[in-house]
Amino acid sequence: MRNQVYNSHRIELLLQLYEKDASDPFTLFALGFEYQKKGELYEALRWYESIVKITPNYTGVYYHLGKVYVELGRMKDAARIYEKGIEICKKLQEMKDLAELQQASMELDDD
């Protein structure tokens, strides 16, 4: 119960930040991550997908968005978003995120 209260409080604070700047990718990501941790996958999806639309070069979102798609059984969407993230990471030379996405994509192919 304590974790739920803590998560709800964090989400409240993040929503306040969102009201001040609806285009800040870090706030959007943090909201998606908090909802994902709570198991509210469709809500997490909403926030992660908004980052891809607003700030497609925010490379850290592609891994998490792909994982939500996997959890929802949307494997084609996961594969598509991993590939999009890989392409952007290569272009921006974001090697850490690139490695994570390549690994996630390979694991998806193994299933």
mmCIF file of all heavy atoms in Angstrom, residues 11 14-16 18-19 22 24-25 27-36 39-55 61 64-66 68-69 72 74:
data_model
loop_
_atom_site.group_PDB
_atom_site.id
_atom_site.type_symbol
_atom_site.label_atom_id
_atom_site.label_comp_id
_atom_site.label_asym_id
_atom_site.label_seq_id
_atom_site.Cartn_x
_atom_site.Cartn_y
_atom_site.Cartn_z
ATOM 1 N N ILE A 11 3.309 10.461 -9.446
ATOM 2 C CA ILE A 11 2.530 10.757 -10.650
ATOM 3 C C ILE A 11 1.879 12.131 -10.543
ATOM 4 O O ILE A 11 1.884 12.898 -11.501
ATOM 5 C CB ILE A 11 1.510 9.638 -10.927
ATOM 6 C CG1 ILE A 11 2.249 8.378 -11.398
ATOM 7 C CG2 ILE A 11 0.465 10.079 -11.948
ATOM 8 C CD1 ILE A 11 1.391 7.141 -11.517
ATOM 9 N N LEU A 14 4.521 14.668 -11.220
ATOM 10 C CA LEU A 14 4.867 14.665 -12.634
ATOM 11 C C LEU A 14 3.775 15.316 -13.484
ATOM 12 O O LEU A 14 4.070 16.030 -14.444
ATOM 13 C CB LEU A 14 5.144 13.238 -13.108
ATOM 14 C CG LEU A 14 6.446 12.632 -12.589
ATOM 15 C CD1 LEU A 14 6.466 11.131 -12.822
ATOM 16 C CD2 LEU A 14 7.646 13.314 -13.240
ATOM 17 N N LEU A 15 2.524 15.085 -13.127
ATOM 18 C CA LEU A 15 1.428 15.727 -13.853
ATOM 19 C C LEU A 15 1.459 17.242 -13.692
ATOM 20 O O LEU A 15 1.124 17.983 -14.621
ATOM 21 C CB LEU A 15 0.080 15.152 -13.416
ATOM 22 C CG LEU A 15 -0.206 13.730 -13.903
ATOM 23 C CD1 LEU A 15 -1.456 13.163 -13.226
ATOM 24 C CD2 LEU A 15 -0.346 13.679 -15.425
ATOM 25 N N GLN A 16 1.882 17.704 -12.527
ATOM 26 C CA GLN A 16 2.031 19.147 -12.320
ATOM 27 C C GLN A 16 3.125 19.700 -13.232
ATOM 28 O O GLN A 16 2.977 20.772 -13.817
ATOM 29 C CB GLN A 16 2.351 19.451 -10.856
ATOM 30 C CG GLN A 16 1.187 19.243 -9.926
ATOM 31 C CD GLN A 16 1.571 19.369 -8.458
ATOM 32 O OE1 GLN A 16 2.666 19.818 -8.123
ATOM 33 N NE2 GLN A 16 0.668 18.964 -7.582
ATOM 34 N N TYR A 18 4.007 18.369 -16.041
ATOM 35 C CA TYR A 18 3.446 18.261 -17.386
ATOM 36 C C TYR A 18 2.561 19.472 -17.696
ATOM 37 O O TYR A 18 2.601 20.006 -18.809
ATOM 38 C CB TYR A 18 2.655 16.957 -17.519
ATOM 39 C CG TYR A 18 1.889 16.833 -18.801
ATOM 40 C CD1 TYR A 18 2.556 16.582 -20.002
ATOM 41 C CD2 TYR A 18 0.507 16.969 -18.831
ATOM 42 C CE1 TYR A 18 1.855 16.472 -21.191
ATOM 43 C CE2 TYR A 18 -0.198 16.846 -20.017
ATOM 44 C CZ TYR A 18 0.480 16.610 -21.185
ATOM 45 O OH TYR A 18 -0.209 16.500 -22.368
ATOM 46 N N GLU A 19 1.781 19.925 -16.720
ATOM 47 C CA GLU A 19 0.924 21.096 -16.923
ATOM 48 C C GLU A 19 1.751 22.338 -17.229
ATOM 49 O O GLU A 19 1.319 23.199 -17.984
ATOM 50 C CB GLU A 19 0.049 21.328 -15.701
ATOM 51 C CG GLU A 19 -1.065 20.307 -15.562
ATOM 52 C CD GLU A 19 -1.881 20.491 -14.287
ATOM 53 O OE1 GLU A 19 -1.825 21.577 -13.677
ATOM 54 O OE2 GLU A 19 -2.571 19.528 -13.920
ATOM 55 N N ALA A 22 4.146 20.746 -21.420
ATOM 56 C CA ALA A 22 3.611 19.509 -21.988
ATOM 57 C C ALA A 22 4.531 18.888 -23.040
ATOM 58 O O ALA A 22 4.257 17.801 -23.523
ATOM 59 C CB ALA A 22 2.242 19.767 -22.592
ATOM 60 N N ASP A 24 7.992 18.542 -22.550
ATOM 61 C CA ASP A 24 9.253 18.080 -21.961
ATOM 62 C C ASP A 24 9.322 16.560 -22.020
ATOM 63 O O ASP A 24 8.560 15.869 -21.333
ATOM 64 C CB ASP A 24 9.370 18.551 -20.510
ATOM 65 C CG ASP A 24 10.633 18.026 -19.836
ATOM 66 O OD1 ASP A 24 11.653 17.891 -20.527
ATOM 67 O OD2 ASP A 24 10.578 17.752 -18.624
ATOM 68 N N PRO A 25 10.220 16.015 -22.841
ATOM 69 C CA PRO A 25 10.252 14.561 -23.002
ATOM 70 C C PRO A 25 10.614 13.816 -21.716
ATOM 71 O O PRO A 25 10.150 12.699 -21.509
ATOM 72 C CB PRO A 25 11.290 14.334 -24.101
ATOM 73 C CG PRO A 25 12.103 15.568 -24.142
ATOM 74 C CD PRO A 25 11.228 16.675 -23.658
ATOM 75 N N THR A 27 9.668 14.552 -18.640
ATOM 76 C CA THR A 27 8.443 14.434 -17.851
ATOM 77 C C THR A 27 7.518 13.383 -18.465
ATOM 78 O O THR A 27 6.951 12.547 -17.751
ATOM 79 C CB THR A 27 7.717 15.788 -17.746
ATOM 80 O OG1 THR A 27 8.597 16.741 -17.141
ATOM 81 C CG2 THR A 27 6.458 15.681 -16.917
ATOM 82 N N LEU A 28 7.368 13.423 -19.784
ATOM 83 C CA LEU A 28 6.536 12.432 -20.465
ATOM 84 C C LEU A 28 7.067 11.018 -20.223
ATOM 85 O O LEU A 28 6.302 10.095 -19.954
ATOM 86 C CB LEU A 28 6.489 12.724 -21.967
ATOM 87 C CG LEU A 28 5.911 14.074 -22.389
ATOM 88 C CD1 LEU A 28 6.136 14.306 -23.879
ATOM 89 C CD2 LEU A 28 4.450 14.167 -22.041
ATOM 90 N N PHE A 29 8.385 10.877 -20.310
ATOM 91 C CA PHE A 29 9.007 9.573 -20.090
ATOM 92 C C PHE A 29 8.782 9.102 -18.654
ATOM 93 O O PHE A 29 8.425 7.945 -18.417
ATOM 94 C CB PHE A 29 10.509 9.626 -20.395
ATOM 95 C CG PHE A 29 11.189 8.312 -20.186
ATOM 96 C CD1 PHE A 29 11.153 7.342 -21.171
ATOM 97 C CD2 PHE A 29 11.842 8.045 -18.994
ATOM 98 C CE1 PHE A 29 11.764 6.111 -20.970
ATOM 99 C CE2 PHE A 29 12.447 6.823 -18.789
ATOM 100 C CZ PHE A 29 12.416 5.853 -19.783
ATOM 101 N N ALA A 30 8.990 10.003 -17.711
ATOM 102 C CA ALA A 30 8.820 9.643 -16.301
ATOM 103 C C ALA A 30 7.377 9.218 -16.020
ATOM 104 O O ALA A 30 7.139 8.260 -15.275
ATOM 105 C CB ALA A 30 9.228 10.809 -15.403
ATOM 106 N N LEU A 31 6.424 9.893 -16.618
ATOM 107 C CA LEU A 31 5.019 9.495 -16.456
ATOM 108 C C LEU A 31 4.784 8.101 -17.036
ATOM 109 O O LEU A 31 4.161 7.252 -16.402
ATOM 110 C CB LEU A 31 4.094 10.520 -17.104
ATOM 111 C CG LEU A 31 3.844 11.769 -16.269
ATOM 112 C CD1 LEU A 31 3.340 12.913 -17.142
ATOM 113 C CD2 LEU A 31 2.863 11.471 -15.142
ATOM 114 N N GLY A 32 5.286 7.874 -18.220
ATOM 115 C CA GLY A 32 5.148 6.551 -18.826
ATOM 116 C C GLY A 32 5.779 5.473 -17.965
ATOM 117 O O GLY A 32 5.192 4.401 -17.753
ATOM 118 N N PHE A 33 6.943 5.756 -17.446
ATOM 119 C CA PHE A 33 7.663 4.789 -16.622
ATOM 120 C C PHE A 33 6.904 4.478 -15.331
ATOM 121 O O PHE A 33 6.796 3.320 -14.923
ATOM 122 C CB PHE A 33 9.066 5.322 -16.310
ATOM 123 C CG PHE A 33 9.965 4.314 -15.693
ATOM 124 C CD1 PHE A 33 10.508 3.294 -16.449
ATOM 125 C CD2 PHE A 33 10.274 4.390 -14.346
ATOM 126 C CE1 PHE A 33 11.342 2.350 -15.876
ATOM 127 C CE2 PHE A 33 11.109 3.455 -13.766
ATOM 128 C CZ PHE A 33 11.652 2.427 -14.525
ATOM 129 N N GLU A 34 6.358 5.504 -14.698
ATOM 130 C CA GLU A 34 5.595 5.290 -13.460
ATOM 131 C C GLU A 34 4.346 4.447 -13.720
ATOM 132 O O GLU A 34 4.032 3.541 -12.955
ATOM 133 C CB GLU A 34 5.210 6.623 -12.818
ATOM 134 C CG GLU A 34 6.375 7.376 -12.212
ATOM 135 C CD GLU A 34 7.085 6.614 -11.114
ATOM 136 O OE1 GLU A 34 6.424 5.939 -10.294
ATOM 137 O OE2 GLU A 34 8.331 6.686 -11.065
ATOM 138 N N TYR A 35 3.660 4.748 -14.796
ATOM 139 C CA TYR A 35 2.475 3.945 -15.128
ATOM 140 C C TYR A 35 2.857 2.517 -15.509
ATOM 141 O O TYR A 35 2.163 1.566 -15.151
ATOM 142 C CB TYR A 35 1.650 4.605 -16.236
ATOM 143 C CG TYR A 35 0.801 5.747 -15.733
ATOM 144 C CD1 TYR A 35 1.091 7.058 -16.074
ATOM 145 C CD2 TYR A 35 -0.283 5.507 -14.896
ATOM 146 C CE1 TYR A 35 0.315 8.109 -15.607
ATOM 147 C CE2 TYR A 35 -1.070 6.547 -14.422
ATOM 148 C CZ TYR A 35 -0.765 7.854 -14.776
ATOM 149 O OH TYR A 35 -1.533 8.883 -14.303
ATOM 150 N N GLN A 36 3.966 2.374 -16.190
ATOM 151 C CA GLN A 36 4.432 1.031 -16.540
ATOM 152 C C GLN A 36 4.742 0.229 -15.271
ATOM 153 O O GLN A 36 4.363 -0.934 -15.163
ATOM 154 C CB GLN A 36 5.671 1.114 -17.439
ATOM 155 C CG GLN A 36 6.124 -0.222 -17.971
ATOM 156 C CD GLN A 36 7.306 -0.090 -18.919
ATOM 157 O OE1 GLN A 36 7.884 0.984 -19.098
ATOM 158 N NE2 GLN A 36 7.671 -1.195 -19.544
ATOM 159 N N GLY A 39 1.781 -1.165 -13.714
ATOM 160 C CA GLY A 39 1.071 -2.152 -14.521
ATOM 161 C C GLY A 39 -0.048 -1.562 -15.349
ATOM 162 O O GLY A 39 -0.844 -2.292 -15.940
ATOM 163 N N GLU A 40 -0.120 -0.248 -15.410
ATOM 164 C CA GLU A 40 -1.136 0.434 -16.220
ATOM 165 C C GLU A 40 -0.552 0.665 -17.610
ATOM 166 O O GLU A 40 -0.120 1.764 -17.963
ATOM 167 C CB GLU A 40 -1.566 1.736 -15.543
ATOM 168 C CG GLU A 40 -2.285 1.496 -14.226
ATOM 169 C CD GLU A 40 -2.802 2.766 -13.577
ATOM 170 O OE1 GLU A 40 -3.115 3.738 -14.311
ATOM 171 O OE2 GLU A 40 -2.893 2.785 -12.346
ATOM 172 N N LEU A 41 -0.541 -0.407 -18.390
ATOM 173 C CA LEU A 41 0.196 -0.416 -19.647
ATOM 174 C C LEU A 41 -0.377 0.518 -20.704
ATOM 175 O O LEU A 41 0.377 1.147 -21.449
ATOM 176 C CB LEU A 41 0.288 -1.840 -20.185
ATOM 177 C CG LEU A 41 1.012 -2.824 -19.252
ATOM 178 C CD1 LEU A 41 1.026 -4.208 -19.872
ATOM 179 C CD2 LEU A 41 2.417 -2.351 -18.923
ATOM 180 N N TYR A 42 -1.681 0.619 -20.782
ATOM 181 C CA TYR A 42 -2.263 1.514 -21.786
ATOM 182 C C TYR A 42 -1.973 2.976 -21.466
ATOM 183 O O TYR A 42 -1.791 3.789 -22.371
ATOM 184 C CB TYR A 42 -3.765 1.260 -21.954
ATOM 185 C CG TYR A 42 -4.029 -0.046 -22.660
ATOM 186 C CD1 TYR A 42 -4.435 -1.169 -21.945
ATOM 187 C CD2 TYR A 42 -3.825 -0.166 -24.025
ATOM 188 C CE1 TYR A 42 -4.652 -2.384 -22.588
ATOM 189 C CE2 TYR A 42 -4.032 -1.371 -24.678
ATOM 190 C CZ TYR A 42 -4.445 -2.476 -23.955
ATOM 191 O OH TYR A 42 -4.641 -3.674 -24.589
ATOM 192 N N GLU A 43 -1.919 3.292 -20.194
ATOM 193 C CA GLU A 43 -1.570 4.658 -19.796
ATOM 194 C C GLU A 43 -0.085 4.914 -20.091
ATOM 195 O O GLU A 43 0.282 5.981 -20.587
ATOM 196 C CB GLU A 43 -1.888 4.869 -18.307
ATOM 197 C CG GLU A 43 -1.883 6.304 -17.877
ATOM 198 C CD GLU A 43 -2.944 7.181 -18.561
ATOM 199 O OE1 GLU A 43 -3.992 6.680 -18.987
ATOM 200 O OE2 GLU A 43 -2.699 8.395 -18.662
ATOM 201 N N ALA A 44 0.758 3.937 -19.801
ATOM 202 C CA ALA A 44 2.180 4.060 -20.127
ATOM 203 C C ALA A 44 2.364 4.248 -21.630
ATOM 204 O O ALA A 44 3.137 5.106 -22.078
ATOM 205 C CB ALA A 44 2.944 2.825 -19.647
ATOM 206 N N LEU A 45 1.628 3.471 -22.388
ATOM 207 C CA LEU A 45 1.683 3.538 -23.846
ATOM 208 C C LEU A 45 1.360 4.950 -24.331
ATOM 209 O O LEU A 45 2.046 5.497 -25.201
ATOM 210 C CB LEU A 45 0.685 2.534 -24.413
ATOM 211 C CG LEU A 45 0.737 2.204 -25.883
ATOM 212 C CD1 LEU A 45 2.032 1.504 -26.227
ATOM 213 C CD2 LEU A 45 -0.443 1.304 -26.227
ATOM 214 N N ARG A 46 0.348 5.521 -23.747
ATOM 215 C CA ARG A 46 -0.080 6.884 -24.118
ATOM 216 C C ARG A 46 1.058 7.887 -23.965
ATOM 217 O O ARG A 46 1.325 8.691 -24.863
ATOM 218 C CB ARG A 46 -1.265 7.280 -23.244
ATOM 219 C CG ARG A 46 -1.725 8.683 -23.455
ATOM 220 C CD ARG A 46 -2.907 9.007 -22.542
ATOM 221 N NE ARG A 46 -2.906 10.427 -22.321
ATOM 222 C CZ ARG A 46 -3.037 11.014 -21.153
ATOM 223 N NH1 ARG A 46 -3.228 10.296 -20.077
ATOM 224 N NH2 ARG A 46 -3.024 12.315 -21.049
ATOM 225 N N TRP A 47 1.755 7.822 -22.851
ATOM 226 C CA TRP A 47 2.841 8.779 -22.596
ATOM 227 C C TRP A 47 4.053 8.500 -23.478
ATOM 228 O O TRP A 47 4.635 9.425 -24.044
ATOM 229 C CB TRP A 47 3.217 8.771 -21.116
ATOM 230 C CG TRP A 47 2.108 9.283 -20.263
ATOM 231 C CD1 TRP A 47 1.251 8.547 -19.491
ATOM 232 C CD2 TRP A 47 1.685 10.639 -20.116
ATOM 233 N NE1 TRP A 47 0.328 9.360 -18.883
ATOM 234 C CE2 TRP A 47 0.583 10.662 -19.240
ATOM 235 C CE3 TRP A 47 2.138 11.837 -20.641
ATOM 236 C CZ2 TRP A 47 -0.071 11.824 -18.888
ATOM 237 C CZ3 TRP A 47 1.482 13.011 -20.276
ATOM 238 C CH2 TRP A 47 0.391 12.998 -19.419
ATOM 239 N N TYR A 48 4.442 7.240 -23.592
ATOM 240 C CA TYR A 48 5.589 6.899 -24.437
ATOM 241 C C TYR A 48 5.344 7.267 -25.896
ATOM 242 O O TYR A 48 6.224 7.818 -26.565
ATOM 243 C CB TYR A 48 5.913 5.406 -24.331
ATOM 244 C CG TYR A 48 6.506 4.958 -23.016
ATOM 245 C CD1 TYR A 48 6.306 3.656 -22.573
ATOM 246 C CD2 TYR A 48 7.290 5.788 -22.224
ATOM 247 C CE1 TYR A 48 6.863 3.207 -21.383
ATOM 248 C CE2 TYR A 48 7.841 5.361 -21.032
ATOM 249 C CZ TYR A 48 7.626 4.058 -20.610
ATOM 250 O OH TYR A 48 8.181 3.616 -19.434
ATOM 251 N N GLU A 49 4.162 6.952 -26.406
ATOM 252 C CA GLU A 49 3.864 7.271 -27.805
ATOM 253 C C GLU A 49 3.869 8.776 -28.042
ATOM 254 O O GLU A 49 4.236 9.229 -29.128
ATOM 255 C CB GLU A 49 2.525 6.661 -28.226
ATOM 256 C CG GLU A 49 2.598 5.160 -28.413
ATOM 257 C CD GLU A 49 1.267 4.526 -28.783
ATOM 258 O OE1 GLU A 49 0.201 5.124 -28.510
ATOM 259 O OE2 GLU A 49 1.297 3.413 -29.333
ATOM 260 N N SER A 50 3.490 9.556 -27.041
ATOM 261 C CA SER A 50 3.505 11.008 -27.215
ATOM 262 C C SER A 50 4.935 11.520 -27.388
ATOM 263 O O SER A 50 5.167 12.478 -28.126
ATOM 264 C CB SER A 50 2.799 11.718 -26.059
ATOM 265 O OG SER A 50 3.522 11.595 -24.866
ATOM 266 N N ILE A 51 5.898 10.872 -26.745
ATOM 267 C CA ILE A 51 7.304 11.284 -26.898
ATOM 268 C C ILE A 51 7.754 11.044 -28.333
ATOM 269 O O ILE A 51 8.405 11.897 -28.940
ATOM 270 C CB ILE A 51 8.230 10.520 -25.935
ATOM 271 C CG1 ILE A 51 7.860 10.824 -24.493
ATOM 272 C CG2 ILE A 51 9.693 10.878 -26.196
ATOM 273 C CD1 ILE A 51 8.528 9.909 -23.482
ATOM 274 N N VAL A 52 7.419 9.871 -28.863
ATOM 275 C CA VAL A 52 7.824 9.527 -30.229
ATOM 276 C C VAL A 52 7.272 10.559 -31.219
ATOM 277 O O VAL A 52 7.949 10.938 -32.162
ATOM 278 C CB VAL A 52 7.378 8.094 -30.581
ATOM 279 C CG1 VAL A 52 7.619 7.786 -32.049
ATOM 280 C CG2 VAL A 52 8.101 7.086 -29.700
ATOM 281 N N LYS A 53 6.063 11.039 -30.970
ATOM 282 C CA LYS A 53 5.453 12.045 -31.849
ATOM 283 C C LYS A 53 6.097 13.417 -31.676
ATOM 284 O O LYS A 53 6.359 14.112 -32.645
ATOM 285 C CB LYS A 53 3.952 12.151 -31.579
ATOM 286 C CG LYS A 53 3.180 10.951 -32.039
ATOM 287 C CD LYS A 53 1.717 11.059 -31.663
ATOM 288 C CE LYS A 53 1.000 9.761 -31.976
ATOM 289 N NZ LYS A 53 -0.256 9.631 -31.280
ATOM 290 N N ILE A 54 6.322 13.809 -30.428
ATOM 291 C CA ILE A 54 6.810 15.160 -30.134
ATOM 292 C C ILE A 54 8.327 15.276 -30.292
ATOM 293 O O ILE A 54 8.830 16.250 -30.840
ATOM 294 C CB ILE A 54 6.400 15.586 -28.704
ATOM 295 C CG1 ILE A 54 4.881 15.683 -28.602
ATOM 296 C CG2 ILE A 54 7.040 16.918 -28.326
ATOM 297 C CD1 ILE A 54 4.382 15.854 -27.181
ATOM 298 N N THR A 55 9.056 14.290 -29.773
ATOM 299 C CA THR A 55 10.515 14.328 -29.756
ATOM 300 C C THR A 55 11.073 12.979 -30.206
ATOM 301 O O THR A 55 11.549 12.183 -29.388
ATOM 302 C CB THR A 55 11.036 14.660 -28.327
ATOM 303 O OG1 THR A 55 10.304 15.751 -27.799
ATOM 304 C CG2 THR A 55 12.510 15.008 -28.340
ATOM 305 N N VAL A 61 13.250 6.261 -25.129
ATOM 306 C CA VAL A 61 11.847 5.846 -25.080
ATOM 307 C C VAL A 61 11.578 4.582 -25.897
ATOM 308 O O VAL A 61 10.671 3.810 -25.572
ATOM 309 C CB VAL A 61 10.903 6.984 -25.525
ATOM 310 C CG1 VAL A 61 10.964 7.220 -27.020
ATOM 311 C CG2 VAL A 61 9.480 6.696 -25.086
ATOM 312 N N HIS A 64 11.595 1.185 -23.925
ATOM 313 C CA HIS A 64 10.472 1.052 -22.991
ATOM 314 C C HIS A 64 9.134 0.920 -23.728
ATOM 315 O O HIS A 64 8.287 0.129 -23.315
ATOM 316 C CB HIS A 64 10.456 2.216 -22.003
ATOM 317 C CG HIS A 64 11.637 2.194 -21.094
ATOM 318 N ND1 HIS A 64 11.683 1.412 -19.963
ATOM 319 C CD2 HIS A 64 12.832 2.822 -21.168
ATOM 320 C CE1 HIS A 64 12.851 1.571 -19.377
ATOM 321 N NE2 HIS A 64 13.572 2.417 -20.089
ATOM 322 N N LEU A 65 8.971 1.673 -24.790
ATOM 323 C CA LEU A 65 7.748 1.561 -25.584
ATOM 324 C C LEU A 65 7.647 0.162 -26.184
ATOM 325 O O LEU A 65 6.595 -0.468 -26.137
ATOM 326 C CB LEU A 65 7.730 2.626 -26.683
ATOM 327 C CG LEU A 65 6.548 2.606 -27.659
ATOM 328 C CD1 LEU A 65 5.209 2.645 -26.939
ATOM 329 C CD2 LEU A 65 6.679 3.772 -28.637
ATOM 330 N N GLY A 66 8.749 -0.342 -26.691
ATOM 331 C CA GLY A 66 8.754 -1.698 -27.235
ATOM 332 C C GLY A 66 8.387 -2.732 -26.192
ATOM 333 O O GLY A 66 7.631 -3.667 -26.455
ATOM 334 N N VAL A 68 6.502 -2.314 -23.573
ATOM 335 C CA VAL A 68 5.061 -2.227 -23.308
ATOM 336 C C VAL A 68 4.293 -2.951 -24.411
ATOM 337 O O VAL A 68 3.368 -3.714 -24.132
ATOM 338 C CB VAL A 68 4.590 -0.764 -23.161
ATOM 339 C CG1 VAL A 68 3.065 -0.685 -23.115
ATOM 340 C CG2 VAL A 68 5.172 -0.140 -21.891
ATOM 341 N N TYR A 69 4.697 -2.733 -25.644
ATOM 342 C CA TYR A 69 4.051 -3.455 -26.748
ATOM 343 C C TYR A 69 4.165 -4.967 -26.546
ATOM 344 O O TYR A 69 3.190 -5.698 -26.754
ATOM 345 C CB TYR A 69 4.665 -3.072 -28.091
ATOM 346 C CG TYR A 69 4.228 -1.744 -28.652
ATOM 347 C CD1 TYR A 69 5.153 -0.897 -29.258
ATOM 348 C CD2 TYR A 69 2.900 -1.331 -28.617
ATOM 349 C CE1 TYR A 69 4.766 0.324 -29.806
ATOM 350 C CE2 TYR A 69 2.507 -0.114 -29.152
ATOM 351 C CZ TYR A 69 3.451 0.712 -29.749
ATOM 352 O OH TYR A 69 3.067 1.906 -30.280
ATOM 353 N N LEU A 72 1.811 -6.219 -24.018
ATOM 354 C CA LEU A 72 0.438 -6.202 -24.523
ATOM 355 C C LEU A 72 0.220 -7.231 -25.637
ATOM 356 O O LEU A 72 -0.879 -7.330 -26.183
ATOM 357 C CB LEU A 72 0.075 -4.799 -25.029
ATOM 358 C CG LEU A 72 -0.025 -3.717 -23.961
ATOM 359 C CD1 LEU A 72 -0.171 -2.347 -24.601
ATOM 360 C CD2 LEU A 72 -1.200 -3.997 -23.026
ATOM 361 N N ARG A 74 1.646 -7.170 -28.566
ATOM 362 C CA ARG A 74 1.688 -6.494 -29.870
ATOM 363 C C ARG A 74 3.107 -6.593 -30.439
ATOM 364 O O ARG A 74 3.847 -5.616 -30.501
ATOM 365 C CB ARG A 74 1.231 -5.041 -29.714
ATOM 366 C CG ARG A 74 -0.230 -4.943 -29.309
ATOM 367 C CD ARG A 74 -0.662 -3.548 -28.949
ATOM 368 N NE ARG A 74 -0.431 -2.576 -30.013
ATOM 369 C CZ ARG A 74 -0.758 -1.289 -29.904
ATOM 370 N NH1 ARG A 74 -1.360 -0.834 -28.807
ATOM 371 N NH2 ARG A 74 -0.503 -0.457 -30.887
#
